[in-house]
Amino acid sequence: MRFGPVRTSEADGAILAHSVKLNEARLPKGHRLSPTDVTALIACGTLEVVVARLEPGDLMEDEAATRIAEAIAPDHLRFSQAATGRVNVYSRVAGLFVATRRTVDQLNRIDPAITLACLADHVPVQAGDMVATIKIIPLAVSAPFVEEAQNLLRDHTAFEVKPFSARRAALIATQLPTLKPQVMDKTKAILTARLRQSGSELLTERRVAHTEGAVAAAINELQADHDLLVVFGASAVADPDDVIPAAVRHAGGVVDHVGMPVDPGNLLVLGRVGATPVIGAPGCARSPRENGFDWILDRILAGEWPSFDDITGLGVGGLLGEIPTRPQPREKATALPSGQVEIVVLAAGRASRMGTDGGHKLLATFDGVPLVRRSVEAAITAAPGRVVVVTGHREADIRAALENLPAKLVSNPDYLSGMASSLTTGLSAVSDQASGILVMLADMPGVTGSDLRKLLDRFTAENGRAVIRATAEGQRGNPVILPQQTFSAVRQLVGDVGARHIIEKCGLPVIDVELGSAARLDLDTPEQIVAAGGILEE
């Protein structure tokens, strides 16, 4: 390919290296100039353009990128159409992204014109996540280089997604007087949320004494009906012969590894009883933050069994500390997805600030109507047929208050773990074609159907590619609309957190829509309910 400036009069058939203004229009980069284009450019006073001229054997950027992408095994992957020399690769399934550095490096060393960038090795992904991008740097590349890249990718796996396999899991938790029951409750909720990402389910929990015999007995009892056992010790593992590894052996199993070079996560135990994996979880796995337990759990859920070399090779990058959300390469802007926004009303919380005798705030009446029903009616007014309500605390009473309303009610059994579980429960109930979700708190009496319609209209005006957030005199509030591009990050939320971090890190524009004081008026105490004109019920 020959590249450089030429007189416009000599540019017929050449390919524009940069976009050029033509009257009120613009000829884009990569456009092949026609005689008509040349005449029009000269008439506009453009006497010189920077172009590329193909030489024998050259391939245009889109054709080159397409050929390279077609050499990759398509299992569980989706490929975009080539545009500006780029093909993006997406996962079709929830699973573990696995990359072979040697193959990726070898491809990137064929010629600087050909590049392949992908996620880090052994990263969990959800369906729809972008995992790799193939980019041709110049406008054209020599065909022999493309053929070399194709042959490499046909003979060697550069990357793949290994689908997660849903497991029937059991939690064995040991007890000591120093460990509070609330900590064990939280541990169960967090493990449930971790397993949910793979479609796995925590079927059983056993709380036993912190002794070798008690843990071994629980392993033997649960093994037959479960295909994953997770053991949380009340005391950290201090030795390869400590309670948890000793219990695995006592139960007739094998301990493959004690300890790993990942911090937090050093004190993990990995073993098996027959074909059933047994993971002795480190104490840090009681937290929703990423730690070494996640790394081993993900591999097992994807069908891998970590070897000695796998585990001992985790030291580089194993100092985790706090891991910010990994940025995802952006997909080229497309039209608004065909689905519509669905509204998720969060009505599962315990309302702990109401006090023990304060009644349930969502059942407080305003003009004779329970607050939760008032909120759901507003949602139905704005989006009929597209409303999901997440219930949990006092579920029977909440559902009774919503009787005969055309809304989909879904139960969140993990509501005690915090808002994240309600968000993920609500998202799981919306249509796969939804272009976004409007997240609405059920305890905001000032938010009306017209307010919600204002947010929905602005989302449509932004072509569904922005976060829409309600504000009150410039201060951020609720509700908020999360576009489809954020769904993967929402599904990974755990604990008592909302979507604020996702909004700040997603890379999408955040559009504020002023709703006035209603956007910040939520009712958390009996005094606030009375002040807002409500009447508390038992």
Side-chain angles (χ1 to χ4, degrees), residues 265-341:
N266 294 134
L267 304 180
L268 180 137
V269 176
L270 180 62
R272 49 203 157 87
V273 178
T276 305
V278 182
I279 307 176
C284 60
R286 297 186 189 275
S287 163
R289 292 179 180 173
E290 184 173 7
N291 58 78
F293 174 73
D294 294 292
W295 291 13
I296 299 303
L297 178 64
D298 287 341
R299 290 182 184 232
I300 290 173
L301 294 174
E304 293 189 354
W305 185 258
S307 67
F308 175 85
D309 288 346
D310 289 333
I311 294 177
T312 56
L314 295 175
V316 175
L319 181 58
L320 299 182
E322 283 199 43
I323 297 182
T325 301
R326 294 182 176 89
Q328 297 290 329
R330 297 190 198 171
E331 183 175 4
K332 184 183 176 187
T334 57
L336 179 67
S338 59
Q340 296 178 298
V341 176

Side-chain angles (χ1 to χ4, degrees), residues 347 359-364 370-373 391-403 409 537-538:
H360 194 330
K361 63 181 179 180
L362 297 185
L363 299 175
L371 176 55
V372 65
R373 188 179 183 92
T391 61
H393 179 60
R394 290 188 64 174
E395 186 171 62
D397 294 328
I398 295 295
R399 288 180 174 239
L402 300 176
E403 189 175 4
L409 307 185
E537 304 288 339
E538 290 299 321

Side-chain angles (χ1 to χ4, degrees), residues 174-176 178-179 210 232-238 242-244 267 281 283 286:
T174 72
Q175 302 179 94
L176 286 173
T178 54
L179 186 64
H210 188 70
F232 274 87
S235 179
V237 172
D242 208 338
V243 168
I244 294 176
L267 304 180
R286 297 186 189 275

Side-chain angles (χ1 to χ4, degrees), residues 71 131 182 188 200 203 245 322 344 383 481 487 519:
V131 298
Q182 301 96 298
K188 178 184 177 182
S200 299
L203 296 179
E322 283 199 43
V344 174
I481 300 180
F487 286 5

